[in-house]
């Protein structure tokens, strides 16, 4: 997690009666300076009640941008943020590359076959395909060349028909892998069958075609939807990254509010900035930083996944799912950041932050634990589909379900509508709590007092 950054390079502000002068206060004074002249009284001084001023939409937009830029600059300069970003990118890149290296060594077996036994090559390949094993055939001139290839490591085994035609004689350097032993056993039995057919005067090719065309006609009464492993991995990874981002940057909003409140910087800021502007600018600034970090991780992860082939999806689908995940992160961060800002305004010490932020942290933790526990075994879980439509759970669970492809469009739209509705309610509710509580230092402010403004 990144800690709020103090800008010690700012020019100290003139101290006011009853307020502490600090580096952050200086930043606040610098932020106040660009406020338009329309915010000043007839004598040229700042109006002590900014909420009563007639600032227009342009002034509000300028103030919001100024507050947001202050938050972005502070966090981008934070060494903790820089280090964690690098660690996240390195971790996701290393994970993809390690998976690719392990998967690349997934064992294509090489079998050497003498030219005289070339007919057995197709039988061995067919047996390997039936057992879902990759086998590559290497043709050698004679038995001596085959044994030499095994000793040199160019082949895992050298196979030749026995004199009686009833099986294979296999030469290996040390031991025969179980997977390859199974393949050669199936192929040897086929060779023995063909030998018996020839002995009895039949045509092995005709029998082989009859066997190849024989099959099982399956009537599925309740077909299960096919789940692609790559989609499942992408869905779970999207939800996991959103979970980490919310749990990292959400509490930073509360920490920043508490820091400004305990240092009395907020008194300087609220002399010229409305409470909702200060809260909205803080949320927007931290949100931009969080989105940038998440976007960087997503680009690196998906880019390497597609480049190495570990992410076995069309590029358009992969990019689309990442874009959807980023959208849900924005919605989730907007919702939780408002809650964290209101919670931070209730207390005046960082030591008390855990008491007011624990409900939000639990609401972030629960859907993530349920998602990674249930979805890998049951992608169509009705419980997860229902919980994903609850706004507090949707930002983590819905990207998982969308990535997997186990959610209907109407469920996505309903969840989106409910989440936007809750955000609209929280804008008013959190703004009221923040505005009434952030100026009150000392003991913890109760929710009732913060809502009532008493």
């Amino acid at each position: 997690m990144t800690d709020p950054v103090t800008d010690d390079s700012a020019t100290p502000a003139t101290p006011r009666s009853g307020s502490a002068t600090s580096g952050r206060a200086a930043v606040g004074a610098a932020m106040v300076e660009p406020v338009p002249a329309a915010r000043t009284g007839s004598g040229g001084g700042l109006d002590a009640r900014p909420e009563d001023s007639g600032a227009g939409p342009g002034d509000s937009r300028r103030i919001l941008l100024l507050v947001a830029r202050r938050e972005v600059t502070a966090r981008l300069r934070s060494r903790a943020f820089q280090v964690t970003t690098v660690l996240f990118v390195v971790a996701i890149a290393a994970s993809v590359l390690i998976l690719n290296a392990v998967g690349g060594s997934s064992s294509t077996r090489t079998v050497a076959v003498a030219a005289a036994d070339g007919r057995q090559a197709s039988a061995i390949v067919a047996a390997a395909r039936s057992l879902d094993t990759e086998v590559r055939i290497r043709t050698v001139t004679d038995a001596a060349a085959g044994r030499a290839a095994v000793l040199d490591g160019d082949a895992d085994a050298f196979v030749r028909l026995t004199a009686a035609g009833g099986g294979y004689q296999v030469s290996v350097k040390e031991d025969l892998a179980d997977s390859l032993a199974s393949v050669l056993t199936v192929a040897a039995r086929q060779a023995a069958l063909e030998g018996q057919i020839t002995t009895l005067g039949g045509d092995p090719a005709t029998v082989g075609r009859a066997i190849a065309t024989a099959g099982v006609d399956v009537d599925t009464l309740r077909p299960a939807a096919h789940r692609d492993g790559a989609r499942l991995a992408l869905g779970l990874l999207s939800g996991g990254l959103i979970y980490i981002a919310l749990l990292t940057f959400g509490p930073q909003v509360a920490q920043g509010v508490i820091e400004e409140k305990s240092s009395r910087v907020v008194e300087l800021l609220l002399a010229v900035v409305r409470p909702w502007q200060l809260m909205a600018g803080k949320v927007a600034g931290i949100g931009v930083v969080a989105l940038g970090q998440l976007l960087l991780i997503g680009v690196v992860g998906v880019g390497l996944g597609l480049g190495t082939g570990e992410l076995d999806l069309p590029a358009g689908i992969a990019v689309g799912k990442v874009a959807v995940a980023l959208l849900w992160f924005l919605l989730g961060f907007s919702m939780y950041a408002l809650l964290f800002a209101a919670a931070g305004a209730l207390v005046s010490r960082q030591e008390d932050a855990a008491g007011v932020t624990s409900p939000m942290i639990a609401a972030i933790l629960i859907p993530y634990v349920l998602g990674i526990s249930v979805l890998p075994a049951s992608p169509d879980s009705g419980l997860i589909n229902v919980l994903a439509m609850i706004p507090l759970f949707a930002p983590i669970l819905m990207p998982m379900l969308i990535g997997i492809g186990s959610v209907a469009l109407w469920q996505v739209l309903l969840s989106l509508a409910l989440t936007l509705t809750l955000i609209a309610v929280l804008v008013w509710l959190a703004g009221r709590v923040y505005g009434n509580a952030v100026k009150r230092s000392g003991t913890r402010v109760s929710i009732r007092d913060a809502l009532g403004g008493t």
Side-chain angles (χ1 to χ4, degrees):
M1 274 194 228
T2 58
D3 298 323
V5 174
T6 301
D7 189 354
D8 295 325
S9 63
T11 304
T14 302
R16 298 189 309 157
S17 176
S19 64
T21 302
S22 63
R24 291 299 294 266
V27 174
M31 187 183 71
V32 168
E33 185 175 328
V35 176
R39 299 294 305 277
T40 61
S42 57
L46 291 170
D47 194 332
R49 299 180 62 193
E51 61 271 18
D52 295 331
S53 65
D59 294 338
S60 295
R61 188 181 304 110
R62 183 178 178 183
I63 293 171
L64 286 173
L65 290 175
L66 196 58
V67 177
R69 185 175 62 187
R70 168 175 171 260
E71 295 294 335
V72 170
T73 302
R75 276 152 183 82
L76 289 181
R77 290 176 178 174
S78 168
R79 182 61 58 86
F81 171 79
Q82 296 169 1
V83 171
T84 54
T85 301
V86 171
L87 289 177
F88 274 130
V89 172
V90 170
I92 198 72
S95 299
V96 175
L97 294 176
I98 290 173
L99 286 174
N100 182 64
V102 172
S105 66
S106 77
S107 321
T108 295
R109 303 293 180 180
T110 301
V111 175
V113 177
D117 294 331
R119 182 178 175 183
Q120 298 306 313
S122 58
I124 294 172
V125 171
R129 189 180 300 113
S130 68
L131 295 176
D132 197 21
T133 302
E134 293 185 16
V135 170
R136 184 178 59 184
I137 300 297
R138 177 186 178 93
T139 303
V140 295
T141 55
D142 52 26
R147 285 190 289 268
V150 172
L151 290 174
D152 293 340
D154 296 329
D156 296 290
F158 169 60
V159 176
R160 59 192 178 279
L161 281 171
T162 59
Y168 288 159
Q169 185 176 351
V170 182
S171 299
V172 296
K173 186 174 183 178
E174 294 180 355
D175 57 8
L176 183 61
D178 292 340
S179 60
L180 189 54
S182 299
V183 170
L184 295 179
T185 298
V186 171
R189 289 173 179 172
Q190 180 66 26
L193 176 61
E194 291 180 357
Q196 290 298 318
I197 293 172
T198 302
T199 301
L200 295 174
D203 182 6
T206 303
V207 176
R209 284 193 296 270
I211 293 174
T213 56
V216 178
D217 187 10
V218 180
D219 181 19
T220 304
L221 301 179
R222 186 176 294 175
H226 171 70
R227 300 300 174 200
D228 192 324
R231 292 175 184 266
L232 177 62
L234 184 59
L236 294 179
L237 184 61
S238 298
L241 289 176
I242 292 174
Y243 160 76
I244 293 174
L246 291 178
L247 210 56
T248 300
F249 290 96
Q252 286 186 28
V253 177
Q255 291 171 2
V257 171
I258 296 171
E259 181 195 12
E260 291 175 348
K261 183 176 178 180
S262 61
S263 64
R264 311 293 290 274
V265 171
V266 71
E267 296 179 8
L268 174 64
L269 299 178
L270 292 180
V272 290
V273 177
R274 297 180 183 180
W276 73 266
Q277 293 171 331
L278 184 58
M279 182 188 71
K282 181 178 291 293
V283 169
I286 297 177
V288 167
V289 175
L291 180 64
Q293 186 186 77
L294 202 60
L295 179 60
L296 177 61
I297 295 172
V299 168
V300 172
V302 172
L304 283 176
L306 293 173
T308 59
E310 283 300 308
L311 193 58
D312 189 16
L313 286 175
I317 293 179
V319 172
K321 291 186 182 297
V322 170
V324 169
L326 291 176
L327 171 62
W328 277 104
F329 166 74
L330 284 177
L331 295 174
F333 180 80
S334 300
M335 180 171 52
Y336 279 106
L338 290 169
L339 292 172
F340 276 112
L346 298 176
V347 296
S348 300
R349 301 186 309 163
Q350 296 289 356
E351 295 82 357
D352 300 327
V356 294
T357 60
S358 55
M360 283 77 76
I361 293 176
I364 296 172
L365 179 63
I366 290 172
Y368 173 71
V369 172
L370 288 174
I372 63 173
S373 301
V374 175
L375 288 178
S378 180
D380 294 312
S381 170
L383 172 64
I384 300 299
N385 272 269
V386 172
L387 292 178
M389 290 185 284
I390 299 176
L392 288 175
F393 295 168
I396 293 176
L397 291 179
M398 193 56 73
M400 290 183 176
L401 294 177
I402 293 173
I404 296 170
S406 60
V407 64
L409 178 60
W410 70 267
Q411 292 175 302
V412 177
L413 295 177
L414 177 59
S415 179
L416 183 63
L418 293 176
T419 303
L420 290 173
T421 300
L422 180 59
I423 291 175
V425 172
L426 288 177
V427 168
W428 173 83
L429 187 65
R432 184 174 180 84
V433 171
Y434 179 90
N436 291 331
V438 75
K439 293 177 287 188
R440 301 175 59 180
S441 59
T443 60
R444 174 175 171 176
V445 182
S446 68
I447 293 291
R448 176 178 298 180
D449 289 345
L451 288 174
T454 59

